[in-house]
Amino acid sequence: MSTTPPPAVTINGKTYHTDEWFNVPPGVLAATTRKLHLQKDHPISITRQILESVFPPPTYRYHNTFDPVVTTHENFDSLGFPPDHPGRARSDTYYLNATTLLRTHTSAHESALFRAAASPGYLISADVYRRDDIDRSHYPVFHQMEGARVWDRRLVPGGDLAAAVLADLALLPTHAVPVEDPNPPSHPDRNPLQSEHHTAAEAAAIAAHLKRSLELMVVEVFTRAQAAARAADPAFVDEPLRVRWVEAYFPFTSPSWEMEVYYDGGWLEVLGCGVSRQGILVDAGQPESVGWAFGIGLDRIAMLLFQVPDIRLFWSRDARFTSQFEGVEGDLGRLRRFVPFSRYPPCYKDVSFWLGKEGEVHGNDVMEVIRGVAGDVVEDVVLTDEFTHPKTGRRSRCYRVNYRSLERTLTNDETNELHTRVRDALVERLRVEIR
Ligand code: DAH
C-alpha cells in the first residue's frame, strides 16, 4: 500500500522513528490516547472491573497502564512465535518501524511481568491493535485482559508442587454451572504435556486451577448478563449457562485450551489459555516457576453484558451512549442493558475494481483505505465478488460498503461524496482500476 510515512510519530509522549514498515493510519494513532478500559463508567472499564473482582489482590496484581508500543521481540519472539508466523505480517499488524509495533495482544507483557515476579499472579488490561475486516464486531483497536498465576517450586511446602497447586484450588469458590471437559489433561499429539518440565500430575493440577479460575470468571460475567437481561425484561427466560473446554494451540502454552460458553442459543469462544511454556519463564529468569496464563477479549464480553450491538459504539462520545452507564462503575448492581437510541438507515454502495499489474491487494488494506476516508460511518464491508477474466487474466473484486452512522441519518449527497472519495483513495493508494 503506498503511503509516505511521517519521519517520526509520538505516542503517549514518546517519539518513535518510522521506516518503510510504518503503516499506522491517523485514526488508529489517535485511538492510542483514548484508554477506554480506564474511562470511568465506560462499559469496557466496567467489564474489566467485573473480571478483576474474580482475581483478588494480593495474589493478583493489576497492570492497566502499559504503553501500547512494544517491540517485535516482546509481541512475538519472547512468546515463541516462529519468524514466519502470519501474525507478523504488515497486512495484519500495525508497525511503527521494523522492530516496533502496536501490541496485537496483551501477552506482549507476559515476559516482563514474569521477570519482575512482583506477585504470584497478575492481570493486564489494555488496548490492542489489529488490522482486520470491518463489521459490527471488528474494530482495529480493541481490548484484552491477560492473566497469569505461577508457583515457585522452591517455595512449595515439602517440594510437592502438584499438592500445593491443588491446595490453592481447594481455596477457590465452587460454582454450579455444568462444564463439559471431555479431553484428557494432556494428549501426546493434540495437546502435549511439557514432559521435560512438568510431571503429568503437576500439569493436571495447574490445568485444574486454571480451569476453575476461568470458569468462576465467566460465571460471574454471564450471571450478571442474565440479571441485566431480566431487569430489562421480566419475561426473559434464561437458558442455563453451560461451559465447555476445547483443545487449542498457542505458541506460548502447552497444553492449551479455549473456553466456550453456551449463551443465548449458541456456543461462544471467549478465551484462550494454557500451561505456560517453560522456555518463557526460563528466559524471564524464573526457571523455578511454573504456572498458567489466559487472554480474553473485553469488547465482545462487554457487547454481551450490555447488549451493545456494534463495537463502534464503544468509541462514541455521544451522550446518548455514554450517559447510559453513568454510576454503574461504583455500583455494579445497577448494571443494565444498553437501550439503542436509534437505528439509522443503512446505505449500501458497491465498488468494483481490477487489481493492478503489481499483483496482490490484501483485504485488510482495502478495509483500511475505506476506514481512512469514511471512519466510523462504515458499518461493514463485504467482499461480494471476485473473478479472473478468462482472456486477459486480470483479476476483479467487488466490495459492498454499508454506510450507516450510529448517531444520525446520512444524507444521500453525503454518502455519494464519501463513496467517490473511497473510490479515489482505492485507486491512489492501492493502484487498482475502477471498473
Ligand atoms: N494472546 C492470545 C490472543 O490474542 C490469547 C491468549 C491465549 C493469551 C492463551 C494467553 C494464553 O495468555 O495463554 O489470541
Side-chain angles (χ1 to χ4, degrees):
M1 197 158 79
S2 67
T3 31
T4 325
V9 289
T10 301
I11 296 175
N12 293 322
K14 275 201 217 144
T15 301
Y16 303 89
H17 80 87
T18 64
D19 61 17
E20 67 282 1
W21 280 74
F22 180 83
N23 64 351
V24 192
V28 171
L29 273 181
T32 59
T33 61
R34 292 286 297 276
K35 306 186 197 312
L36 302 183
H37 66 292
L38 298 176
Q39 198 176 300
K40 190 170 178 308
D41 290 335
H42 192 284
I44 302 283
S45 172
I46 296 165
T47 303
R48 165 184 63 81
Q49 287 177 296
I50 293 172
L51 301 185
E52 283 174 350
S53 73
V54 185
F55 297 95
T59 303
Y60 294 90
R61 254 207 213 187
Y62 309 150
H63 302 269
N64 294 335
T65 57
F66 286 147
D67 201 86
V69 181
V70 300
T71 62
T72 44
H73 182 82
E74 290 168 303
N75 200 83
F76 297 121
D77 305 286
S78 74
L79 294 160
F81 280 79
D84 59 348
H85 192 278
R88 296 180 187 252
R90 282 179 80 230
S91 56
D92 289 34
T93 295
Y94 290 111
Y95 282 88
L96 300 176
N97 56 51
T99 55
T100 317
L101 49 83
L102 296 178
R103 69 184 151 227
T104 65
H105 55 176
T106 42
S107 308
H109 303 288
E110 264 197 14
S111 178
L113 284 183
F114 283 145
R115 180 174 298 281
S119 53
Y122 61 74
L123 295 181
I124 309 161
S125 297
D127 39 335
V128 299
Y129 297 77
R130 286 187 204 173
R131 303 184 80 223
D132 212 327
D133 289 341
I134 300 181
D135 63 41
R136 283 194 273 152
S137 63
H138 288 90
Y139 201 78
V141 192
F142 59 103
H143 302 81
Q144 285 186 332
M145 177 183 282
E146 184 88 6
R149 171 81 160 93
V150 296
W151 289 264
D152 186 326
R153 286 185 182 281
R154 293 164 305 188
L155 303 180
V156 298
D160 189 342
L161 181 89
V165 174
L166 291 176
D168 282 333
L169 170 62
L171 298 175
L172 293 177
T174 54
H175 65 79
V177 169
V179 176
E180 294 171 32
D181 192 3
N183 294 300
S186 63
H187 184 280
D189 310 315
R190 298 192 315 254
N191 215 2
L193 171 75
Q194 300 174 61
S195 52
E196 58 295 21
H197 301 295
H198 308 135
T199 66
E202 288 170 353
I206 295 168
H209 190 278
L210 163 68
K211 287 174 176 173
R212 173 83 65 77
S213 302
L214 300 185
E215 288 160 13
L216 288 167
M217 174 174 78
V218 300
V219 167
E220 179 71 21
V221 170
F222 286 86
T223 305
R224 285 181 186 275
Q226 289 184 329
R230 271 195 307 275
D233 172 11
F236 176 84
V237 191
D238 28 337
E239 270 189 86
L241 276 182
R242 280 150 63 196
V243 166
R244 77 177 177 200
W245 289 101
V246 179
E247 290 174 332
Y249 173 83
F250 301 102
F252 34 99
T253 47
S254 193
S256 307
W257 300 275
E258 279 165 355
M259 182 204 266
E260 298 182 346
V261 176
Y262 193 84
Y263 181 76
D264 209 11
W267 286 101
L268 295 167
E269 183 195 312
V270 295
L271 60 81
C273 64
V275 178
S276 292
R277 290 218 193 226
Q278 205 54 28
I280 298 172
L281 286 151
V282 170
D283 291 348
Q286 309 297 335
E288 302 291 340
S289 290
V290 295
W292 55 250
F294 75 91
I296 185 168
L298 297 179
D299 301 62
R300 291 200 193 158
I301 299 289
M303 286 173 80
L304 274 170
L305 199 48
F306 294 93
Q307 290 292 297
V308 168
D310 190 312
I311 195 167
R312 289 175 295 164
L313 278 161
F314 291 138
W315 300 88
S316 173
R317 299 178 200 260
D318 190 317
R320 289 174 296 175
F321 178 74
T322 55
S323 66
Q324 292 198 28
F325 313 101
E326 268 163 27
V328 176
E329 192 162 314
D331 177 8
L332 292 177
R334 285 176 49 188
L335 196 138
R336 292 287 177 273
R337 288 186 151 192
F338 169 65
V339 183
F341 37 88
S342 197
R343 196 140 163 75
Y344 301 97
C347 179
Y348 295 97
K349 300 229 175 257
D350 288 346
V351 54
S352 305
F353 52 77
W354 298 109
L355 298 188
K357 297 257 163 355
E358 297 99 286
E360 203 41 67
V361 166
H362 199 286
N364 287 347
D365 289 341
V366 174
M367 300 293 159
E368 196 147 275
V369 169
I370 297 172
R371 216 193 273 279
V373 171
D376 286 0
V377 154
V378 186
E379 179 168 293
D380 61 69
V381 179
V382 181
L383 176 64
T384 52
D385 190 40
E386 200 171 16
F387 72 91
T388 305
H389 190 284
K391 291 223 176 76
T392 63
R394 293 184 86 189
R395 284 175 303 152
S396 160
R397 277 195 219 160
C398 179
Y399 286 89
R400 177 157 299 167
V401 185
N402 175 11
Y403 296 92
R404 167 166 25 202
S405 166
L406 293 163
E407 291 161 9
R408 65 203 167 79
T409 299
L410 301 171
T411 66
N412 260 333
D413 286 353
E414 204 175 355
T415 321
N416 286 334
E417 207 255 326
L418 275 176
H419 197 59
T420 304
R421 282 170 48 211
V422 161
R423 291 160 50 144
D424 291 349
L426 289 168
V427 170
E428 193 192 313
R429 309 237 354 242
L430 304 180
R431 308 271 176 247
V432 301
E433 190 186 314
I434 301 292
R435 299 181 52 208

Short mmCIF file of all heavy atoms in Angstrom, two decimals, residues 79 81 104-108 110 122 128 130 142 144-148 210 249-250 252-253 255-258 269 271-276 292-297, ligand 1:
data_model
loop_
_atom_site.label_atom_id
_atom_site.label_comp_id
_atom_site.label_asym_id
_atom_site.label_seq_id
_atom_site.Cartn_x
_atom_site.Cartn_y
_atom_site.Cartn_z
N LEU A 79 7.50 -14.86 23.06
CA LEU A 79 6.41 -15.82 23.28
C LEU A 79 6.55 -17.06 22.42
O LEU A 79 5.67 -17.92 22.41
CB LEU A 79 5.07 -15.14 23.00
CG LEU A 79 4.74 -14.00 23.97
CD1 LEU A 79 3.69 -13.07 23.37
CD2 LEU A 79 4.23 -14.56 25.29
N PHE A 81 6.79 -17.19 19.02
CA PHE A 81 6.23 -17.15 17.66
C PHE A 81 7.35 -17.39 16.66
O PHE A 81 8.39 -16.72 16.73
CB PHE A 81 5.63 -15.77 17.37
CG PHE A 81 4.25 -15.56 17.95
CD1 PHE A 81 4.09 -15.26 19.29
CD2 PHE A 81 3.13 -15.66 17.14
CE1 PHE A 81 2.83 -15.05 19.82
CE2 PHE A 81 1.86 -15.45 17.67
CZ PHE A 81 1.70 -15.14 19.00
N THR A 104 -0.34 -6.48 19.48
CA THR A 104 -1.52 -7.16 18.93
C THR A 104 -2.24 -7.96 20.00
O THR A 104 -3.34 -8.44 19.79
CB THR A 104 -1.12 -8.12 17.79
OG1 THR A 104 -0.30 -9.17 18.34
CG2 THR A 104 -0.34 -7.39 16.70
N HIS A 105 -1.59 -8.11 21.15
CA HIS A 105 -2.23 -8.81 22.28
C HIS A 105 -1.52 -8.44 23.59
O HIS A 105 -0.37 -7.99 23.58
CB HIS A 105 -2.25 -10.33 22.08
CG HIS A 105 -0.91 -10.95 21.81
ND1 HIS A 105 -0.74 -12.30 21.68
CD2 HIS A 105 0.34 -10.41 21.66
CE1 HIS A 105 0.52 -12.58 21.46
NE2 HIS A 105 1.20 -11.45 21.44
N THR A 106 -2.24 -8.63 24.68
CA THR A 106 -1.66 -8.29 25.98
C THR A 106 -0.57 -9.28 26.39
O THR A 106 0.21 -9.00 27.30
CB THR A 106 -2.76 -8.25 27.06
OG1 THR A 106 -3.65 -9.36 26.86
CG2 THR A 106 -3.55 -6.95 27.00
N SER A 107 -0.49 -10.41 25.70
CA SER A 107 0.57 -11.38 26.00
C SER A 107 1.95 -10.75 25.80
O SER A 107 2.95 -11.27 26.32
CB SER A 107 0.44 -12.62 25.11
OG SER A 107 -0.85 -13.15 25.17
N ALA A 108 2.02 -9.65 25.05
CA ALA A 108 3.30 -8.97 24.83
C ALA A 108 3.98 -8.57 26.14
O ALA A 108 5.19 -8.35 26.16
CB ALA A 108 3.08 -7.72 23.97
N GLU A 110 3.74 -10.45 29.00
CA GLU A 110 3.93 -11.63 29.87
C GLU A 110 5.36 -11.73 30.38
O GLU A 110 5.61 -11.86 31.58
CB GLU A 110 3.61 -12.90 29.09
CG GLU A 110 2.23 -13.42 29.29
CD GLU A 110 2.11 -14.87 28.85
OE1 GLU A 110 3.13 -15.56 28.63
OE2 GLU A 110 0.96 -15.32 28.73
N TYR A 122 -1.00 -12.08 38.04
CA TYR A 122 -1.21 -10.71 37.55
C TYR A 122 -2.34 -10.68 36.54
O TYR A 122 -2.71 -11.71 35.96
CB TYR A 122 0.06 -10.12 36.94
CG TYR A 122 0.62 -10.87 35.75
CD1 TYR A 122 0.00 -10.80 34.50
CD2 TYR A 122 1.77 -11.66 35.86
CE1 TYR A 122 0.51 -11.48 33.41
CE2 TYR A 122 2.28 -12.34 34.78
CZ TYR A 122 1.65 -12.25 33.54
OH TYR A 122 2.15 -12.93 32.47
N VAL A 128 -5.44 -3.17 22.38
CA VAL A 128 -4.61 -3.93 21.44
C VAL A 128 -5.06 -3.59 20.02
O VAL A 128 -6.18 -3.10 19.82
CB VAL A 128 -4.68 -5.45 21.71
CG1 VAL A 128 -4.18 -5.77 23.11
CG2 VAL A 128 -6.09 -5.98 21.52
N ARG A 130 -5.16 -4.51 15.78
CA ARG A 130 -5.00 -5.47 14.68
C ARG A 130 -5.69 -4.97 13.42
O ARG A 130 -6.80 -4.45 13.50
CB ARG A 130 -5.63 -6.83 15.05
CG ARG A 130 -4.82 -7.60 16.03
CD ARG A 130 -5.38 -8.98 16.24
NE ARG A 130 -4.95 -9.46 17.54
CZ ARG A 130 -5.36 -10.58 18.10
NH1 ARG A 130 -6.23 -11.34 17.47
NH2 ARG A 130 -4.92 -10.94 19.29
N PHE A 142 -9.06 -2.87 19.98
CA PHE A 142 -9.98 -3.47 20.93
C PHE A 142 -9.22 -3.71 22.24
O PHE A 142 -8.12 -3.16 22.41
CB PHE A 142 -10.65 -4.73 20.36
CG PHE A 142 -9.71 -5.83 19.95
CD1 PHE A 142 -9.55 -6.96 20.74
CD2 PHE A 142 -8.98 -5.74 18.76
CE1 PHE A 142 -8.70 -7.99 20.35
CE2 PHE A 142 -8.13 -6.76 18.37
CZ PHE A 142 -7.99 -7.89 19.17
N GLN A 144 -8.03 -6.27 25.62
CA GLN A 144 -7.85 -7.63 26.15
C GLN A 144 -7.47 -7.57 27.61
O GLN A 144 -6.93 -6.56 28.08
CB GLN A 144 -6.73 -8.37 25.41
CG GLN A 144 -7.09 -8.84 24.03
CD GLN A 144 -5.98 -9.71 23.43
OE1 GLN A 144 -4.81 -9.55 23.76
NE2 GLN A 144 -6.36 -10.60 22.54
N MET A 145 -7.74 -8.68 28.28
CA MET A 145 -7.19 -8.88 29.61
C MET A 145 -6.36 -10.16 29.57
O MET A 145 -6.81 -11.17 29.06
CB MET A 145 -8.29 -9.02 30.66
CG MET A 145 -7.73 -9.30 32.05
SD MET A 145 -9.04 -9.54 33.26
CE MET A 145 -9.53 -7.85 33.56
N GLU A 146 -5.16 -10.04 30.10
CA GLU A 146 -4.25 -11.18 30.19
C GLU A 146 -4.14 -11.51 31.66
O GLU A 146 -4.07 -10.61 32.50
CB GLU A 146 -2.88 -10.73 29.67
CG GLU A 146 -1.84 -11.79 29.60
CD GLU A 146 -1.91 -12.51 28.27
OE1 GLU A 146 -2.68 -12.10 27.38
OE2 GLU A 146 -1.19 -13.51 28.13
N GLY A 147 -4.11 -12.78 31.99
CA GLY A 147 -3.91 -13.15 33.39
C GLY A 147 -2.92 -14.28 33.48
O GLY A 147 -2.77 -15.07 32.54
N ALA A 148 -2.24 -14.36 34.60
CA ALA A 148 -1.33 -15.49 34.81
C ALA A 148 -1.18 -15.74 36.30
O ALA A 148 -1.42 -14.86 37.14
CB ALA A 148 0.03 -15.22 34.19
N LEU A 210 -6.32 -23.54 36.75
CA LEU A 210 -6.61 -22.62 35.64
C LEU A 210 -8.09 -22.69 35.27
O LEU A 210 -8.78 -21.67 35.18
CB LEU A 210 -5.74 -23.04 34.44
CG LEU A 210 -6.13 -22.51 33.06
CD1 LEU A 210 -5.91 -21.02 32.98
CD2 LEU A 210 -5.29 -23.21 31.99
N TYR A 249 -4.22 -24.49 20.39
CA TYR A 249 -2.77 -24.36 20.25
C TYR A 249 -2.38 -22.88 20.36
O TYR A 249 -2.99 -22.03 19.70
CB TYR A 249 -2.29 -24.89 18.88
CG TYR A 249 -0.82 -24.60 18.71
CD1 TYR A 249 0.14 -25.44 19.27
CD2 TYR A 249 -0.40 -23.44 18.06
CE1 TYR A 249 1.48 -25.14 19.17
CE2 TYR A 249 0.96 -23.13 17.97
CZ TYR A 249 1.88 -23.98 18.53
OH TYR A 249 3.21 -23.67 18.45
N PHE A 250 -1.41 -22.58 21.19
CA PHE A 250 -0.78 -21.26 21.21
C PHE A 250 0.73 -21.47 21.33
O PHE A 250 1.15 -22.43 21.99
CB PHE A 250 -1.27 -20.43 22.42
CG PHE A 250 -2.76 -20.21 22.41
CD1 PHE A 250 -3.58 -20.97 23.25
CD2 PHE A 250 -3.34 -19.29 21.56
CE1 PHE A 250 -4.96 -20.80 23.22
CE2 PHE A 250 -4.71 -19.11 21.53
CZ PHE A 250 -5.52 -19.86 22.36
N PHE A 252 2.74 -20.10 23.13
CA PHE A 252 3.30 -19.80 24.46
C PHE A 252 2.69 -20.63 25.58
O PHE A 252 2.98 -20.40 26.75
CB PHE A 252 3.15 -18.29 24.76
CG PHE A 252 1.90 -17.67 24.18
CD1 PHE A 252 0.79 -17.47 24.97
CD2 PHE A 252 1.86 -17.31 22.85
CE1 PHE A 252 -0.36 -16.92 24.42
CE2 PHE A 252 0.71 -16.76 22.28
CZ PHE A 252 -0.40 -16.57 23.07
N THR A 253 1.84 -21.62 25.24
CA THR A 253 1.31 -22.52 26.27
C THR A 253 1.25 -23.95 25.72
O THR A 253 1.13 -24.16 24.52
CB THR A 253 -0.14 -22.12 26.68
OG1 THR A 253 -0.91 -21.88 25.51
CG2 THR A 253 -0.15 -20.90 27.57
N PRO A 255 -0.10 -27.88 27.67
CA PRO A 255 -1.28 -27.90 26.80
C PRO A 255 -2.04 -26.57 26.83
O PRO A 255 -1.83 -25.75 27.72
CB PRO A 255 -2.12 -29.06 27.40
CG PRO A 255 -1.61 -29.27 28.78
CD PRO A 255 -0.20 -28.81 28.80
N SER A 256 -2.92 -26.41 25.83
CA SER A 256 -3.69 -25.17 25.67
C SER A 256 -5.16 -25.49 25.46
O SER A 256 -5.50 -26.55 24.94
CB SER A 256 -3.22 -24.39 24.44
OG SER A 256 -1.83 -24.18 24.45
N TRP A 257 -5.99 -24.53 25.83
CA TRP A 257 -7.44 -24.71 25.63
C TRP A 257 -8.10 -23.39 25.25
O TRP A 257 -7.57 -22.31 25.53
CB TRP A 257 -8.14 -25.19 26.93
CG TRP A 257 -7.62 -26.49 27.39
CD1 TRP A 257 -8.03 -27.73 26.99
CD2 TRP A 257 -6.57 -26.70 28.34
NE1 TRP A 257 -7.29 -28.69 27.62
CE2 TRP A 257 -6.38 -28.08 28.45
CE3 TRP A 257 -5.74 -25.85 29.08
CZ2 TRP A 257 -5.42 -28.65 29.29
CZ3 TRP A 257 -4.79 -26.40 29.91
CH2 TRP A 257 -4.64 -27.79 30.02
N GLU A 258 -9.29 -23.53 24.67
CA GLU A 258 -10.19 -22.40 24.55
C GLU A 258 -11.43 -22.73 25.35
O GLU A 258 -11.82 -23.90 25.44
CB GLU A 258 -10.56 -22.14 23.08
CG GLU A 258 -9.46 -21.37 22.39
CD GLU A 258 -9.56 -21.37 20.89
OE1 GLU A 258 -10.46 -22.05 20.34
OE2 GLU A 258 -8.74 -20.70 20.27
N GLU A 269 -16.86 -18.59 21.66
CA GLU A 269 -15.48 -18.78 22.11
C GLU A 269 -15.11 -17.52 22.90
O GLU A 269 -15.21 -16.42 22.39
CB GLU A 269 -14.62 -18.91 20.87
CG GLU A 269 -13.20 -19.19 21.15
CD GLU A 269 -12.37 -18.93 19.90
OE1 GLU A 269 -12.74 -19.42 18.82
OE2 GLU A 269 -11.38 -18.20 20.04
N LEU A 271 -12.22 -17.26 25.41
CA LEU A 271 -10.84 -17.01 25.82
C LEU A 271 -9.91 -18.15 25.41
O LEU A 271 -10.36 -19.24 25.08
CB LEU A 271 -10.76 -16.80 27.34
CG LEU A 271 -11.23 -17.93 28.25
CD1 LEU A 271 -10.16 -19.02 28.42
CD2 LEU A 271 -11.57 -17.37 29.61
N GLY A 272 -8.61 -17.83 25.43
CA GLY A 272 -7.56 -18.82 25.20
C GLY A 272 -6.69 -18.90 26.44
O GLY A 272 -6.55 -17.93 27.17
N CYS A 273 -6.12 -20.09 26.67
CA CYS A 273 -5.32 -20.25 27.90
C CYS A 273 -4.49 -21.52 27.82
O CYS A 273 -4.63 -22.30 26.90
CB CYS A 273 -6.25 -20.32 29.11
SG CYS A 273 -7.32 -21.77 29.09
N GLY A 274 -3.66 -21.71 28.83
CA GLY A 274 -2.90 -22.94 28.90
C GLY A 274 -1.83 -22.91 29.96
O GLY A 274 -1.71 -21.95 30.72
N VAL A 275 -1.06 -24.00 30.00
CA VAL A 275 0.07 -24.09 30.92
C VAL A 275 1.24 -23.38 30.24
O VAL A 275 1.62 -23.73 29.12
CB VAL A 275 0.40 -25.58 31.21
CG1 VAL A 275 1.61 -25.68 32.13
CG2 VAL A 275 -0.81 -26.29 31.81
N SER A 276 1.80 -22.38 30.89
CA SER A 276 2.83 -21.56 30.26
C SER A 276 4.03 -22.41 29.82
O SER A 276 4.48 -23.29 30.57
CB SER A 276 3.31 -20.48 31.23
OG SER A 276 2.26 -19.56 31.42
N TRP A 292 0.17 -20.96 34.82
CA TRP A 292 -0.76 -20.86 33.70
C TRP A 292 -0.95 -19.41 33.27
O TRP A 292 -0.60 -18.49 34.00
CB TRP A 292 -2.11 -21.49 34.04
CG TRP A 292 -2.87 -21.03 35.27
CD1 TRP A 292 -3.07 -21.77 36.41
CD2 TRP A 292 -3.60 -19.79 35.49
NE1 TRP A 292 -3.86 -21.07 37.31
CE2 TRP A 292 -4.19 -19.86 36.76
CE3 TRP A 292 -3.79 -18.64 34.72
CZ2 TRP A 292 -4.96 -18.82 37.30
CZ3 TRP A 292 -4.56 -17.60 35.25
CH2 TRP A 292 -5.14 -17.70 36.53
N ALA A 293 -1.55 -19.24 32.06
CA ALA A 293 -1.86 -17.90 31.55
C ALA A 293 -3.13 -17.97 30.71
O ALA A 293 -3.48 -19.04 30.18
CB ALA A 293 -0.71 -17.37 30.70
N PHE A 294 -3.83 -16.85 30.62
CA PHE A 294 -5.00 -16.77 29.73
C PHE A 294 -5.08 -15.39 29.11
O PHE A 294 -4.46 -14.43 29.59
CB PHE A 294 -6.30 -17.07 30.49
CG PHE A 294 -6.77 -15.93 31.40
CD1 PHE A 294 -7.64 -14.95 30.91
CD2 PHE A 294 -6.33 -15.83 32.70
CE1 PHE A 294 -8.07 -13.91 31.73
CE2 PHE A 294 -6.75 -14.78 33.53
CZ PHE A 294 -7.62 -13.81 33.03
N GLY A 295 -5.87 -15.29 28.04
CA GLY A 295 -6.17 -14.00 27.43
C GLY A 295 -7.62 -13.96 27.01
O GLY A 295 -8.13 -14.92 26.42
N ILE A 296 -8.29 -12.86 27.31
CA ILE A 296 -9.72 -12.73 26.97
C ILE A 296 -9.96 -11.36 26.34
O ILE A 296 -9.36 -10.36 26.75
CB ILE A 296 -10.60 -12.94 28.24
CG1 ILE A 296 -12.09 -12.95 27.89
CG2 ILE A 296 -10.31 -11.91 29.33
CD1 ILE A 296 -12.98 -13.44 29.04
N GLY A 297 -10.81 -11.33 25.33
CA GLY A 297 -11.17 -10.05 24.70
C GLY A 297 -12.28 -9.38 25.49
O GLY A 297 -13.28 -10.02 25.81
N1 DAH B 1 -2.84 -13.78 23.17
C1 DAH B 1 -3.89 -14.66 22.70
C2 DAH B 1 -4.69 -13.96 21.61
O1 DAH B 1 -4.63 -12.76 21.49
C3 DAH B 1 -4.81 -15.05 23.83
C4 DAH B 1 -4.13 -15.95 24.82
C5 DAH B 1 -4.18 -17.31 24.63
C6 DAH B 1 -3.42 -15.44 25.89
C7 DAH B 1 -3.57 -18.18 25.51
C8 DAH B 1 -2.79 -16.31 26.79
C9 DAH B 1 -2.87 -17.68 26.59
O2 DAH B 1 -2.11 -15.88 27.84
O3 DAH B 1 -2.26 -18.49 27.46
O4 DAH B 1 -5.39 -14.61 20.88
#
